[in-house]
Amino acid sequence: MSIAVFAIFAVLTLAFAIVVVAHPDPVKSTMSMVVVLFCLAVHFVLLGAPFVATLQVLLYTGAILVLFLFVIMLLNLQREHVPATQGVTQRWVALLGASFFAGFLGMLLWQAQGSALEEPLTEGFTSIRGLAEILFTDYLLPFEMVGLLLLVAVVAAAMLARQLGPPGDTAEEERR
Amino acid sequence: MIPTSWFLVLAAMLFAIGTIGALTRRNGITIFLSIELMLNSVNLLFVGYSRLLGDPTGRVMVFFVLAVAAAEAAIGLALFIAIYRHRHTIDLDRINLLRW
Amino acid sequence: MSTEVLALAKYLVVVAVLLGLVTPLMVWVERRGMALIQDRRGPNRVGPLGLLQSLADGLKFIFKEDIIPASADKLMYLLGPVLALVPALTTFVVIPFAPPVEIDGSLVEMVVVPGEAGVLVFLAMASLGVYALVTAGYGSNNKYSSMGSVRAAAQLISYELALALAVLAVLLPVGSFELASVIEYQRSHFWNALLQLPGFFVFLVAMFAETNRLPFDLPEAESELVAGYATEYGSMKFALFFMGEYANMAILSGLMATLYLGGWSLPGWSPEPVWIDALLGAGVLAAKIALMMCVFVWVRFSFPRFRYDQLMRLGWKFLLPLALVNLLVVSALVVWGIY
């Protein structure tokens, strides 16, 4: 039963990841990314991390990708117009390189099966409490630093995206 | 019972797809999305290994990767908005001069 | 009976009640309530007291012509109403709607998904509601729709923060994300509405903003933006949006009842694990949700609408600091052992 779930969601993940990478319209790419992240959350649940899966949907799909969509809509980005003859070599080289890399890495990771114990999922393993205990004792400093990092990011983003001077400034610069 | 190595191979494939996207696209936002795809494949790897080794540290790392990805997305998109205001394009093939 | 079959049965029951009973009833309540407040009669011709008005409206929607604007982005346009139902159909799975019942010798929790990350799942699925607005507004290829959808999305994500912080303050003394534990806590202490008054206020205001109801309904304001993000939608697609909105209202009221008003419990009542008590508990929860829905209708026709900048200012400069201070005070009280 869980193999069927894994198979369906693995196929969905890969299919929509290819759409993200290949579709010329950035809005469709972002919506496909939403599907990919949701399928990844399902994979997290299958791997015994339901809390991480919930956080993934809450933060990544629910906030970060909304930000992406906002920016695309704000800038009114259109579909990419790339003539089919341009960059063919680049695409083939990228495809070959990435396939080699995936094949090599996949082979390495495949050998991980059977070499370590895979115990059935216990309540202690999947609990939020275990995660919290480690997070707030061993990893307290990185936790606080991440908080500071987010504050810096908010201030920096607000500063970078603001308009210098009254709106219409860039039009004046162009005329000059 | 699904062998965890299947998840790891899936993560490797996702990483490769993300790399192809980051290398071949011209639209800045799509490149950004491909990088986020790579980050998420790493998340899957972390959780997979956390399951394999029975160590909850992997999931703590995912937590941090998530937060850092959020910060990076915010700043990156703010940068794109600032660039768009000056160049009126996000096509990276046209924003390839530092200063003219 | 295996857990999956039980969960499916519970889910189907709740969905049937939500979409089949609550939504049509709510339409009637809204129109009669609106009429009473505005000193007129309201629908009273179709069926006794106008109760079949919702049925008549539904039939009308089905027979209307289904139009897709020529310049609309078809995929996004059609995706909007579908996505509007996603939070409505997935968020309620963590709310316990009755006290536990004994089935085949084992105690069965009356929650569809008795998971450990209860409220977080609710918040996660609720945050997906933004996509409905964004895809609808973008896909319609219409000035009013785009403006309405951007405003609605900004409003939703701003007030989501205050909502989550208020919820977090409730969870601190309880020590668990599960809503059943929150109800247990409230049965042994007072209702949280009294214990955490500022948090209750924040949740109330954020709830109105999350459901796009007056005084926060600028995104769909009839007098300002035609119909906001729903401008280009007619017949069943429009009906889907509003079904989603009413279902969302009911579910958020359910969450408020569970977090702040004690859920299915009444002070001084300990239910046995039998079906009668489960039905009584469900009835208590339903009564609390009904009360909350009447408050929704009452507020809608008593207040003027917030302007967009006032709305944003309220969310970020007043509600968020208040929620943060509430969280701080509650955590201090928990550390000092008062809670």
Side-chain angles (χ1 to χ4, degrees):
Chain A
M1 162 76 174
S2 45
I3 296 215
V5 172
F6 171 74
I8 295 176
F9 280 98
V11 167
L12 275 178
T13 316
L14 287 174
F16 278 99
I18 295 179
V19 174
V20 170
V21 159
H23 203 285
D25 188 358
V27 175
K28 303 278 183 7
S29 290
T30 316
M31 296 304 292
S32 314
M33 189 68 180
V34 171
V35 180
V36 169
L37 292 180
F38 199 77
C39 297
L40 273 180
V42 173
H43 287 307
F44 287 160
V45 170
L46 284 174
L47 280 171
F51 183 63
V52 172
T54 318
L55 277 184
Q56 163 105 335
V57 176
L58 179 59
L59 299 176
Y60 234 122
T61 346
I64 299 178
L65 285 189
V66 173
L67 184 61
F68 268 94
L69 263 180
F70 256 45
V71 168
I72 294 176
M73 282 171 61
L74 195 67
L75 303 182
N76 198 19
L77 294 177
Q78 304 298 329
R79 301 167 77 98
E80 237 174 70
H81 300 293
V82 182
T85 51
Q86 185 185 33
V88 176
T89 320
Q90 184 183 15
R91 272 183 282 216
W92 275 110
V93 168
L95 189 63
L96 248 81
S99 320
F100 263 127
F101 177 71
F104 189 56
L105 188 59
M107 200 180 63
L108 276 180
L109 295 174
W110 185 255
Q111 295 179 350
Q113 67 178 337
S115 64
L117 317 131
E118 271 192 39
E119 301 151 0
L121 294 172
T122 60
E123 187 58 42
F125 182 75
T126 61
S127 74
I128 300 181
R129 189 181 200 107
L131 186 70
E133 274 173 7
I134 288 207
L135 187 64
F136 289 116
T137 51
D138 295 334
Y139 293 96
L140 183 59
L141 181 61
F143 179 74
E144 299 293 335
M145 283 170 60
V146 158
L148 191 62
L149 175 73
L150 285 170
L151 176 66
V152 167
V154 166
V155 172
M159 252 223 58
L160 282 170
R162 72 173 173 178
Q163 291 214 308
L164 301 158
D169 215 12
T170 47
E172 277 183 38
E173 278 182 21
E174 279 184 273
R175 253 182 272 134
R176 239 180 268 142
Chain B
M1 257 313 266
I2 311 163
T4 313
S5 48
W6 290 11
F7 288 98
L8 304 179
V9 171
L10 176 67
M13 282 158 67
L14 274 178
F15 192 86
I17 295 178
T19 316
I20 296 179
L23 289 175
T24 44
R25 297 298 301 260
R26 282 166 54 158
N27 190 342
I29 303 252
T30 317
I31 296 184
F32 207 174
L33 273 177
S34 313
I35 297 179
E36 298 282 334
L37 192 57
M38 287 197 270
L39 275 174
N40 275 289
S41 76
V42 167
N43 273 348
L44 186 60
L45 263 175
F46 267 129
V47 175
Y49 271 113
S50 165
R51 165 92 169 92
L52 207 55
L53 303 174
D55 193 355
T57 311
R59 280 170 284 145
V60 173
M61 288 311 299
V62 171
F63 190 78
F64 289 133
V65 170
L66 226 49
V68 169
E72 164 212 357
I75 298 189
L77 289 171
L79 272 175
F80 273 128
I81 294 185
I83 292 177
Y84 186 83
R85 283 225 185 88
H86 282 279
R87 299 296 206 98
H88 294 284
T89 179
I90 298 270
D91 187 341
L92 290 194
D93 281 352
R94 301 221 214 121
I95 316 178
N96 54 4
L97 293 175
L98 272 180
R99 188 177 166 76
W100 77 104
Chain C
M1 253 203 282
S2 68
T3 40
E4 282 103 9
V5 173
L6 261 175
L8 188 63
K10 287 185 244 173
Y11 182 79
L12 287 175
V13 164
V14 179
V15 164
V17 165
L18 246 188
L19 291 183
L21 197 67
V22 169
T23 310
L25 199 63
M26 195 51 210
V27 171
W28 178 80
V29 165
E30 173 129 42
R31 290 173 73 165
R32 289 293 289 222
M34 162 174 15
L36 273 174
I37 295 179
Q38 293 172 349
D39 201 21
R40 54 186 176 86
R41 294 295 183 94
N44 58 359
R45 293 198 189 273
V46 190
L49 289 179
L51 275 169
L52 295 181
Q53 180 73 39
S54 316
L55 188 63
D57 279 339
L59 281 176
K60 179 191 75 169
F61 274 132
I62 296 177
F63 285 119
K64 268 192 170 179
E65 183 188 354
D66 201 34
I67 301 178
I68 302 180
S71 59
D73 187 333
K74 248 183 149 175
L75 181 64
M76 304 284 272
Y77 179 80
L78 292 174
L79 209 54
V82 172
L83 288 179
L85 279 181
V86 163
L89 291 178
T90 50
T91 38
F92 60 78
V93 296
V94 290
I95 302 183
F97 51 87
V101 170
E102 193 165 317
I103 300 182
D104 295 340
S106 64
L107 210 57
V108 171
E109 289 279 333
M110 281 288 135
V111 186
V112 179
V113 175
E116 198 186 8
V119 182
L120 274 190
V121 172
F122 189 102
L123 289 174
M125 292 323 231
S127 71
L128 292 182
V130 185
Y131 285 108
L133 306 174
V134 169
T135 49
Y138 177 81
S140 301
N141 205 4
N142 174 342
K143 275 194 277 282
Y144 296 119
S145 302
S146 322
M147 273 180 62
S149 85
V150 169
R151 285 183 181 183
Q155 171 186 322
L156 272 193
I157 53 185
S158 314
Y159 284 85
E160 219 168 68
L161 267 176
L163 194 82
L165 283 175
V167 168
L168 205 59
V170 166
L171 296 177
L172 267 179
V174 176
S176 160
F177 281 116
E178 280 190 72
L179 285 172
S181 317
V182 175
I183 297 185
E184 278 307 311
Y185 179 82
Q186 291 184 77
R187 284 176 63 194
S188 43
H189 304 69
F190 288 123
W191 282 1
N192 273 331
L194 302 168
L195 290 178
Q196 300 201 10
L197 213 47
F200 184 51
F201 174 70
V202 168
F203 192 96
L204 199 60
V205 176
M207 194 168 66
F208 277 98
E210 282 290 311
T211 49
N212 276 337
R213 292 283 291 187
L214 257 155
F216 297 103
D217 79 339
L218 198 63
E220 50 185 54
E222 280 111 17
S223 45
E224 323 239 343
L225 280 174
V226 188
Y229 57 86
T231 309
E232 293 280 355
Y233 287 92
S235 77
M236 270 322 276
K237 301 203 270 291
F238 193 71
L240 274 180
F241 270 125
F242 281 90
M243 257 166 62
E245 181 178 313
Y246 283 132
N248 228 5
M249 269 165 61
I251 297 171
L252 265 178
S253 311
L255 185 67
M256 161 177 270
T258 310
L259 283 175
Y260 286 101
L261 299 175
W264 48 253
S265 69
L266 280 177
W269 174 53
S270 0
E272 307 284 319
V274 284
W275 281 107
I276 301 285
D277 279 6
L279 283 175
L280 275 178
V284 167
L285 183 63
K288 290 177 188 170
I289 295 182
L291 183 69
M292 206 46 231
M293 302 288 259
C294 291
V295 170
F296 266 112
V297 174
W298 182 26
V299 165
R300 178 173 181 184
F301 298 105
S302 314
F303 285 102
R305 179 178 291 139
F306 273 108
R307 213 175 52 221
Y308 185 60
D309 62 316
Q310 292 171 334
L311 203 153
M312 283 289 139
R313 187 168 8 123
L314 182 72
W316 289 100
K317 292 193 188 174
F318 174 63
L319 225 50
L320 189 61
L322 182 59
L324 277 172
V325 164
N326 180 43
L327 186 64
L328 205 62
V329 168
V330 168
S331 39
L333 288 176
V334 167
V335 165
W336 290 332
I338 303 184
Y339 264 161

